[in-house]
Amino acid sequence: MAPLKIKKGTSKHSAYDLRDPHSEGLERHTLAVVVANEAGVLARVIGLFSGRGYNIESLTVAETDHRGHLSRITVVTIGTPSVIEQIKAQLGRIVPVHEVHDLTVEGPSVERELALFKVAGEGNDRIEALRLAEIFRANVVDSTLSSFVFEMTGTSEKIDAFAELMRPLGLQEVARTGVAALSRGTA
Amino acid sequence: MIVQALKDQGVDTVFGYPGGAVLPIYDEIFLQNDIRHYLVRHEQGAVHAAEGYARSTGKPGVVLVTSGPGATNAVTGLTDALMDSIPIVVLTGQVPTFMIGNDAFQEADTVGITRPCTKHNWLVRDTADLSNVIHQAFHVATHGRPGPVLVDIPKDVQFASAAYTAPENARTSHYAPKTRGDADRIEELVALIESAERPIIYSGGGVINSGVAASQKLRELVDGTNFPITSTLMGLGAYPANGRNWVGMLGMHGLYEANLAMHDCDLMINIGARFDDRITGRLDAFSPGSRKVHIDIDPSSVNKVIHVDVPIIGDVDSVLGDALALWKSRGSKTRKDAVEVWWAKIREWRSINCLAFTQATKTIKPQHALTRLEALTKDHDRYICTEVGQHQMWAAQYLGFNEPHRWMTSGGLGTMGYGFPASIGVQVAHPGALVINVAGEASWLMNMQEMGTAVQYNLPVKQFILNNERLGMVRQWQELLHGERYSQSWSEALPDFVKLAEAFGAKGILCSDPDDLDDAIMEMLAYDGPVIFDCVVEKHENCFPMIPSGEPHNKMLLGEASTKGAIGTKGAVMV
Ligand SMILES: Cc1ncc(C[n+]2csc(CCOP(=O)(O)OP(=O)(O)O)c2C)c(N)n1
Ligand SMILES: [Mg+2]
């Protein structure tokens, strides 16, 4: 038989950017899903993930285009390359979904998350917490004589790292927004 | 307004069942004559009837049911239609908007319950949106990969009035799936067609859904290239069973030659099928040496189960049209000699005659009953429905389908109780045609209340029940996989089907002697009205060939002799 111009299972010529389809390695992808802002659309997206057994690491949603009634859902998910491709195709099938972008493969992107940390402590712990907050560029948004609330924006890793450091210093509660992401440069 | 929107969508038939939350719509229906409403006896029946109507016409089927239990009874039908990509539009009543969320009488979260079993659904909270949403619903149901949609309409929204939106002004633009296949990939497909030595075309329900023109192009491709063609259960009829290149259905109960050709081919062209587990068997041993091309309108079908070399996203009709044009313009080339050698191999496989059976003298074998049914009806303008079980597989094996839209069966969901109401929908769409539902006695009982519908509208549907007094397919699996422990697979306390028919005002025929079979079938065909044909058959017949779950295609069981110990424990966990 004539050789195919494409190599079996390579990315460029497939329907999608398919990396090695047989790889069992897990990858973390950030997807931006632009949806019509109608009732139940978030339930459809979440129902897809739970119904088909996909992972959601983080999810944020808000209306981003009021005039066009469009919302942007940012989902961070983990799966093998073929599962990630399936997730994108399945998302694309939902009727009110207008666009699906895989920011992880579509070129460089920026990802940020906002988090609030409540840290209670006295004496040296309190001083140490403040000092670390400064290094991490976290702001104090509330303070009492025995507690602080810090606000920090950064990558998920940075937020994880800060939470780890705060733990022995009296970390009580963390609230995180989940990831918001955009591609770099002009699209 | 709702009836107007339906009329503007070309609807002339609705299957439904009334209730408090849809009374205003039923009032509108009462006051007009353009739309004919068929009163079913259970809402599940309404949805299957609409599926039968849609499958046999290519037009969307329409259902109208009430809130709460009306809507929940429709769920099985919706799931069935989703799995088999059947376009249907279901309208449900809902409690008034100001009562939603209060656990009102007959309130159910219908859009919540049906979200995973519809292609899309809507709750209309404002009458001003109503006509627009109904038009969108038809658009979504019929464009891209077809499927069921549902519009939930609270009673106050039905009562209020608002300006009507005509179909041409409805907002449907955003949902426009790609239908044209990528030119580079179509070129790759053509190059593969030109160079393949052991090709096979594997077609599916997508060809039927793409319309009659798609089946025509498929035939042109097959006949032009002289490639062998097999099909899934859902795709039967797209290429004619009496066509020169037909190698029969493939899959778990498919033909030996079809499955071996799939296993040994060097080029597999999947047209509108989805590599379902009933087709592929063990994935790591599925057609190991072939290049695979997959034509499908739904991007999520491609590379879902089987990784393919050439994915082509588009409508079958359009893609085949482009591929044929290109192939012809390049000189209509194939490796003729090699393909001839391949055919010789296929003929060798065919010569084992995997569907052979011996008809006994005393009892009717189910295969024999279907062989006679085929012989006596094949020249009729004929539509066949089935229930689910052994009889379904035998019907697929022993009946021949030469045209698309003639074969209605529940493939993806495997819904017992599908066939009878589906046959009603088919008969409504084709009043003069012969409509036969090949049934198992157990499946048939699941929606037997629809006898009332058949009699009320004098729909002459023929219920051809292969009565083995067993949940035959379950019994077969228990025999092969569970040490012959026949747990709950007896059909006990069966009704007298002849009396049952008569109780409904229909005709009943009982046949248990092979010598009477032909006459009894002729009697059924001659009767102008619904018939229940109780065909008492051999109780312990198994359906072969069979690829046990979890086995590759070349590990096929052919008959009783090869079954002992053939299914390992690994296969037993699969369904
Ligand atoms: C609604 C539903 N329940 C259960 C099953 C599982 N099931 C598949 S085939 C079968 C037996 C069908 O018996 P019958 O209709 O008599 O057909 P036969 O296999 O005997 O031809 C059962 C119970 C199903 N497919 N659908
Ligand atoms: Mg039975």
Side-chain angles (χ1 to χ4, degrees):
Chain A
M1 245 175 109
L4 273 181
K5 277 192 259 133
I6 53 180
K7 278 226 315 288
K8 240 182 174 173
T10 48
S11 53
K12 278 216 317 292
H13 293 272
S14 300
Y16 314 106
D17 180 84
L18 274 170
R19 289 151 310 282
D20 178 7
H22 307 294
S23 148
E24 289 303 304
L26 294 178
E27 296 180 355
R28 182 176 185 274
H29 284 237
T30 304
L31 309 179
V33 189
V34 179
V35 299
N37 187 11
E38 59 178 50
V41 62
L42 186 59
R44 286 179 211 283
V45 170
I46 292 173
L48 170 71
F49 277 79
S50 64
R52 294 187 183 263
Y54 306 141
N55 293 308
I56 297 181
E57 290 285 298
S58 144
L59 182 134
T60 62
V61 55
E63 189 170 70
T64 49
D65 172 357
H66 295 281
R67 296 204 18 241
H69 293 289
L70 295 178
S71 291
R72 185 180 174 101
I73 300 176
T74 309
V75 199
V76 181
T77 184
I78 289 186
T80 59
S82 54
V83 166
I84 303 270
E85 293 310 315
Q86 250 312 288
I87 293 174
K88 288 188 270 179
Q90 293 289 353
L91 283 170
R93 221 155 78 109
I94 297 176
V95 171
V97 167
H98 288 238
E99 291 165 39
V100 180
H101 294 287
D102 185 342
L103 297 176
T104 307
V105 299
E106 282 178 16
S109 61
V110 280
E111 292 187 11
R112 288 294 179 270
E113 201 180 339
L114 185 140
L116 299 173
F117 306 83
K118 182 175 284 175
V119 181
E122 275 154 27
N124 273 342
D125 282 357
R126 208 167 141 79
I127 296 164
E128 181 64 6
L130 259 188
R131 204 180 63 80
L132 287 167
E134 211 165 296
I135 296 170
F136 273 77
R137 288 184 209 174
N139 300 321
V140 178
V141 290
D142 177 62
S143 65
T144 67
L145 288 176
S146 57
S147 72
F148 289 119
V149 174
F150 296 113
E151 171 212 56
M152 195 173 92
T153 308
T155 61
S156 301
E157 293 73 30
K158 183 174 165 190
I159 288 168
D160 289 343
F162 187 67
E164 240 5 87
L165 287 172
M166 287 299 114
R167 205 170 305 278
L169 302 177
L171 182 66
Q172 309 269 301
E173 271 183 82
V174 184
R176 300 170 71 147
T177 57
V179 173
L182 281 181
S183 60
R184 287 178 190 269
T186 46
Chain B
M1 161 117 71
I2 293 170
V3 170
Q4 185 60 46
L6 294 180
K7 280 187 207 166
D8 286 350
Q9 287 292 338
V11 174
D12 54 17
T13 304
V14 172
F15 301 93
Y17 207 91
V22 279
L23 286 178
I25 308 177
Y26 272 88
D27 214 28
E28 272 194 76
I29 287 180
F30 187 82
L31 295 170
Q32 57 83 52
N33 286 319
D34 298 332
I35 293 182
R36 180 116 197 246
H37 178 277
Y38 288 84
L39 178 71
V40 293
R41 298 300 186 267
H42 185 294
E43 289 85 352
Q44 183 187 354
V47 185
H48 293 323
E51 287 186 87
Y53 182 92
R55 264 260 129 178
S56 67
T57 59
K59 295 195 292 183
V62 181
V63 174
L64 173 60
V65 296
T66 193
S67 65
T72 55
N73 273 350
V75 165
T76 301
L78 287 168
T79 311
D80 191 88
L82 185 72
M83 292 289 271
D84 285 345
S85 307
I86 313 291
I88 56 172
V89 177
V90 177
L91 307 179
T92 51
Q94 181 56 278
V95 302
T97 44
F98 52 85
M99 292 174 84
I100 289 179
N102 288 347
D103 297 325
F105 178 61
Q106 294 197 327
E107 176 179 357
D109 175 8
T110 301
V111 284
I113 290 169
T114 61
R115 199 173 284 131
C117 62
T118 51
K119 184 173 171 189
H120 194 56
N121 61 15
W122 294 260
L123 170 64
V124 183
R125 288 175 170 276
D126 184 346
T127 311
D129 297 331
L130 184 54
S131 43
N132 187 45
V133 167
I134 292 176
H135 299 316
Q136 279 182 26
F138 277 87
H139 177 80
V140 170
T142 53
H143 285 71
R145 179 173 174 178
V149 298
L150 181 142
V151 183
D152 198 25
I153 315 172
K155 198 170 181 183
D156 54 334
V157 173
Q158 299 171 31
F159 267 124
S161 47
Y164 177 72
T165 309
E168 53 278 16
N169 300 328
R171 289 186 306 270
T172 52
S173 53
H174 140 67
Y175 185 70
K178 179 171 175 276
T179 55
R180 217 44 214 281
D182 188 272
D184 290 348
R185 299 234 163 71
I186 290 176
E187 196 179 332
E188 270 155 12
L189 164 62
V190 169
L192 288 172
I193 289 174
E194 290 167 342
S195 60
E197 296 176 9
R198 299 187 310 281
I200 181 104
I201 293 175
Y202 146 47
S203 74
V207 182
I208 314 260
N209 276 334
S210 179
V212 177
S215 293
Q216 280 311 328
K217 295 199 177 82
L218 176 71
R219 291 161 186 222
E220 203 185 315
L221 176 72
V222 172
D223 296 341
T225 55
N226 192 31
F227 286 0
I229 175 168
T230 175
S231 157
T232 66
L233 183 73
M234 298 310 291
L236 296 177
Y239 184 83
N242 60 11
R244 189 169 53 109
N245 292 29
W246 177 239
V247 289
M249 181 176 81
L250 81 166
M252 181 176 274
H253 292 290
L255 270 57
Y256 183 71
E257 51 270 38
N259 283 326
L260 284 195
M262 288 286 281
H263 187 268
D264 284 6
C265 65
D266 71 347
L267 171 64
M268 177 185 298
I269 308 176
N270 171 344
I271 310 180
R274 59 185 175 91
F275 293 112
D276 177 77
D277 54 77
R278 297 285 107 150
I279 298 302
T280 57
R282 207 173 93 201
L283 286 176
D284 59 3
F286 176 68
S287 192
S290 62
R291 302 280 196 194
K292 299 178 185 71
V293 180
H294 188 178
I295 303 171
D296 203 298
I297 197 158
D298 178 0
S300 76
S301 281
V302 176
N303 289 325
K304 179 171 66 178
V305 194
I306 295 287
H307 182 77
V308 297
D309 304 283
V310 183
I312 305 178
I313 310 293
D315 183 40
V316 169
D317 183 38
S318 154
V319 172
L320 286 187
D322 289 348
L324 271 167
L326 182 66
W327 179 67
K328 285 186 201 156
S329 75
R330 287 166 49 145
S332 303
K333 290 192 290 262
T334 58
R335 295 279 307 276
K336 281 206 181 56
D337 296 351
V339 173
E340 232 1 278
V341 174
W342 175 230
W343 267 114
K345 186 84 199 156
I346 292 173
R347 277 193 287 272
E348 195 179 300
W349 288 324
R350 185 181 279 164
S351 69
I352 74 146
N353 197 5
C354 67
L355 293 183
F357 64 92
T358 351
Q359 168 55 25
T361 45
K362 280 267 158 38
T363 50
I364 302 175
K365 286 240 179 166
Q367 301 94 322
H368 178 66
L370 289 167
T371 307
R372 293 317 301 156
L373 185 73
E374 168 73 359
L376 297 172
T377 64
K378 67 166 187 274
D379 296 328
H380 285 67
D381 177 19
R382 183 186 77 176
Y383 293 80
I384 301 284
C385 301
T386 77
E387 303 288 346
V388 171
Q390 292 179 315
H391 63 276
Q392 175 189 28
M393 294 299 119
W394 283 316
Q397 291 171 342
Y398 292 91
L399 303 181
F401 301 95
N402 297 326
E403 296 299 332
H405 300 295
R406 297 282 170 153
W407 164 246
M408 274 56 57
T409 195
S410 171
L413 195 63
T415 311
M416 291 171 70
Y418 164 89
F420 183 17
S423 72
I424 287 178
V426 175
Q427 190 79 72
V428 163
H430 308 276
L434 171 62
V435 180
I436 303 174
N437 175 35
V438 175
E441 79 296 336
S443 296
W444 193 84
L445 290 177
M446 284 207 174
N447 272 321
M448 59 166 263
Q449 74 287 342
E450 299 304 330
M451 273 313 283
T453 314
V455 171
Q456 178 181 345
Y457 298 100
N458 193 27
L459 299 166
V461 288
K462 312 300 183 220
Q463 303 304 311
F464 193 73
I465 301 177
L466 295 175
N467 184 353
N468 52 11
E469 297 174 24
R470 300 287 182 279
L471 311 182
M473 191 57 99
V474 172
R475 194 205 58 76
Q476 173 167 349
W477 281 55
Q478 289 171 334
E479 180 184 326
L480 301 179
L481 286 132
H482 294 274
E484 302 181 44
R485 289 180 296 280
Y486 298 123
S487 179
Q488 307 296 322
S489 55
W490 255 256
S491 289
E492 305 246 18
L494 285 172
D496 176 329
F497 284 104
V498 174
K499 282 195 186 140
L500 182 73
E502 286 162 7
F504 275 103
K507 182 178 177 65
I509 298 174
L510 172 71
C511 181
S512 55
D513 186 336
D515 290 339
D516 300 340
L517 184 60
D518 277 22
D519 287 347
I521 291 176
M522 292 310 287
E523 188 187 346
M524 170 180 88
L525 298 178
Y527 185 74
D528 182 21
V531 176
I532 303 179
F533 190 113
D534 182 5
C535 189
V536 179
V537 295
E538 167 65 46
K539 300 184 194 333
H540 297 131
E541 193 66 17
N542 281 335
C543 184
F544 290 114
M546 176 175 181
I547 304 176
S549 293
E551 293 288 351
H553 279 172
N554 55 356
K555 289 272 173 62
M556 201 166 201
L557 308 183
L558 283 171
E560 313 289 349
S562 60
T563 59
K564 291 250 152 58
I567 301 178
T569 39
K570 245 172 78 195
V573 302
M574 322 255 316
V575 287

